[in-house]
Amino acid sequence: MLGATAPLSQLNTGAHGDRVGRRDRVRPSSICVVGAGHVGLVTAACLAELGHRVTCVDTDEGRIETLRSGTVPFHEPGLETLIERHCASDVLKFTTSYKEALEGVDFIFVAVNTPSTPEGAADLRYIRRAVRQIGRALKDSRPIIVNKSTAPVGTAETVDHILRQEAGSLGELPVVSNPEFLREGTAIKDFMKPDRVVLGSHDREAARRVAELYGPVEAPVLITDPETAEMIKYASNAFLATKISFINEIASICEGVGADVSQVAQGMGLDKRIGPQFLRAGIGYGGSCLPKDVKALAHMAGLYGSHPQLLNAVLQINVDQRRRLVHRLRQTLGSVEGATVAVLGLAYKPDTDDVRDSPAIDIIRLLDNEGATVRAHDPVANQNLAEILPDVTYCSDPYDAVNGCDAVIIATEWPQFLDLDLEQVKARMRRPVLVDGRNLFHPDVVRGYGFTYLGIGRPDHLEEPLVLEPQPKEA
Ligand code: UGA
């Protein structure tokens, strides 16, 4: 069985499947993680938590100093505690020196950034630089190189090529592609309790040794060739983005026909073949992953002569969602020229201070372009957005943000916004218009306070669904 609950998890090595047992206890290994960004730090801390000795190397001296003083430079629940604990017991270390980090290691995880180029491709310069440094710093050991960075199909081969150039005397070094499936905000849980572990390598023994690092993690491990593993990562993120753009397109149709998209998603999600996840309509996906990865996959498709029409539509719908929201606000107010608008929620999703590709950025820019004044508030992301949009007025308190406003837009579904005293919000506003970009509120509750409510794909009068559960059969 490929079960997540099997006491000794099984791994299936091919479509027709030899089934091979996997150790459920960790044999402690010595590991270097290259890159102290989000993926690198979560990987380093979780590998230490699994019982390995880990050194994390990054050339950014400021960042390494911050980490040594026990501070994590971004918001990820549980990460600081893990790092503190494993640094205190000397199992986890931070350094800027590759030489020090590679001393006697069995595995090297590469977890560096692959930002978008202006053409939408994944920029491999940081991977190339890191692998070159690794090749130069290796003396006589032959560790397994594991790539965690999201990188286009063919990157394992590029890594192999650079290693031959820089460390050819060591012979062929094993390279394994091990894509990450970590969500910001739940990354520790996603690492320790993943749905699957994917490993891609032409060297099956090396892949099996990487599988053993995960020891007690109860999840199926899929071992493929490197190209397939790299593709699984892109296809997974593209599929999640497709689900979101699909439900957003359905939401637009719902607005026309008077149906409620949340109940449509609920009804669809009850079909086990569809599932309820990633069917929340809103102002579209953001963050450092889905937008970048869909673009990179579409770019990759073009290089191989494909016309990725579905991916292009997914991207376009995601841009349109933000424009549609501003268009609807314009229609409601008559014009946004001269209006003051509060934007509540700046992070691309709750539980993170990350504002990369956040829908709030596009919405603020659109409003600003049309002559509106924006007052913004986020529980943790004000400062990060101020670095990108310095001219916005940032408020530490949501009530302060709505003062004198003609409309308030909910751009991130922070749960604490549900506790807002809407009476007080309305009293502070010039015009009571609430645009719910994440369908956070119940429309009737908001309207009950005298607001004009605009949600995504919701009718003017919402009737609650009635779910009749099957009755237990009498014995
Ligand atoms: C995403 C994937 O979910 C991870 O599996 C993957 O490892 C990661 O990218 C990555 O490649 O590193 P993440 O970007 O942290 O993780 O965030 P998600 O939880 O996937 O949300 C992405 C965006 O989609 C957010 O803006 C969120 O608001 C939006 N979203 C999500 C919706 O609009 N509707 C939904 O139903 C779900």
Side-chain angles (χ1 to χ4, degrees), residues 129-157:
R129 193 182 298 168
V131 176
R132 220 168 275 134
Q133 305 251 46
I134 291 167
R136 285 175 194 162
L138 280 177
K139 286 286 169 267
D140 41 18
S141 59
R142 300 188 70 257
I144 296 175
I145 317 293
V146 186
N147 183 33
K148 271 238 167 259
S149 310
T150 301
V153 176
T155 299
E157 213 169 292

Side-chain angles (χ1 to χ4, degrees), residues 326 343 357-372 374 385 387-390 392:
V326 174
V343 177
D357 251 313
S358 176
I361 296 178
D362 284 347
I363 289 171
I364 293 173
R365 284 198 172 125
L366 287 166
L367 290 169
D368 179 59
N369 236 355
E370 294 193 25
V374 175
L385 200 74
E387 283 168 25
I388 299 172
L389 299 173
V392 170

Side-chain angles (χ1 to χ4, degrees), residues 180-182 184 233 237 278 280 285-286 289 348-349:
E180 55 86 14
F181 302 103
L182 310 174
E184 286 188 25
K233 167 69 190 185
N237 272 3
F278 274 69
R280 273 180 289 112
Y285 58 81
C289 305
Y348 79 98
K349 66 174 189 178

Side-chain angles (χ1 to χ4, degrees), residues 38-39 150 179-186 190 196 233 236-237 240-241 243-245 247-248 276-293 318 322 347-350 352 354 357-359 411-413 438:
H38 187 263
V39 173
T150 301
E180 55 86 14
F181 302 103
L182 310 174
R183 286 164 296 176
E184 286 188 25
T186 55
D190 290 344
R196 78 298 208 189
K233 167 69 190 185
S236 299
N237 272 3
L240 293 174
K243 280 187 99 172
I244 298 169
S245 280
I247 202 65
N248 283 337
Q277 311 249 35
F278 274 69
L279 288 179
R280 273 180 289 112
I283 44 178
Y285 58 81
S288 66
C289 305
L290 299 194
K292 166 176 83 75
D293 292 349
N318 203 47
R322 297 138 200 217
Y348 79 98
K349 66 174 189 178
T352 175
D354 196 339
D357 251 313
S358 176
T412 314
E413 66 277 33
R438 298 293 188 176

Side-chain angles (χ1 to χ4, degrees), residues 167-196:
S169 60
L170 297 176
E172 198 173 324
L173 294 170
V175 178
V176 178
S177 167
N178 176 207
E180 55 86 14
F181 302 103
L182 310 174
R183 286 164 296 176
E184 286 188 25
T186 55
I188 307 284
K189 178 181 146 286
D190 290 344
F191 191 101
M192 302 306 277
K193 291 180 190 286
D195 289 338
R196 78 298 208 189

Side-chain angles (χ1 to χ4, degrees), residues 220-396:
V221 177
L222 177 67
I223 298 184
T224 67
D225 57 67
E227 291 76 15
T228 304
E230 288 162 345
M231 192 63 188
I232 287 171
K233 167 69 190 185
Y234 278 100
S236 299
N237 272 3
F239 188 70
L240 293 174
T242 303
K243 280 187 99 172
I244 298 169
S245 280
F246 177 85
I247 202 65
N248 283 337
E249 182 154 303
I250 295 295
S252 306
I253 303 172
C254 283
E255 281 162 25
V257 301
D260 173 41
V261 73
S262 309
Q263 292 175 50
V264 171
Q266 185 184 1
M268 288 170 62
L270 285 169
D271 184 328
K272 293 189 182 65
R273 295 168 303 173
I274 298 172
Q277 311 249 35
F278 274 69
L279 288 179
R280 273 180 289 112
I283 44 178
Y285 58 81
S288 66
C289 305
L290 299 194
K292 166 176 83 75
D293 292 349
V294 181
K295 275 186 212 142
L297 184 57
H299 186 269
M300 219 187 308
L303 293 180
Y304 292 90
S306 291
H307 298 286
Q309 298 179 56
L310 178 61
L311 297 179
N312 287 337
V314 168
L315 290 165
Q316 191 57 56
I317 292 168
N318 203 47
V319 172
D320 287 350
Q321 271 319 91
R322 297 138 200 217
R323 293 185 184 149
R324 273 175 50 76
L325 182 106
V326 174
H327 169 68
R328 290 175 64 210
L329 178 61
R330 193 189 303 122
Q331 280 184 324
T332 305
L333 296 181
S335 158
V336 293
E337 174 82 51
T340 304
V341 180
V343 177
L344 299 188
L346 308 173
Y348 79 98
K349 66 174 189 178
D351 264 330
T352 175
D353 60 357
D354 196 339
V355 296
R356 285 175 288 177
D357 251 313
S358 176
I361 296 178
D362 284 347
I363 289 171
I364 293 173
R365 284 198 172 125
L366 287 166
L367 290 169
D368 179 59
N369 236 355
E370 294 193 25
T373 301
V374 175
R375 298 171 63 80
H377 163 79
D378 188 282
V380 294
N382 278 1
Q383 205 181 332
N384 283 349
L385 200 74
E387 283 168 25
I388 299 172
L389 299 173
D391 295 334
V392 170
T393 304
Y394 292 93
C395 308
S396 55

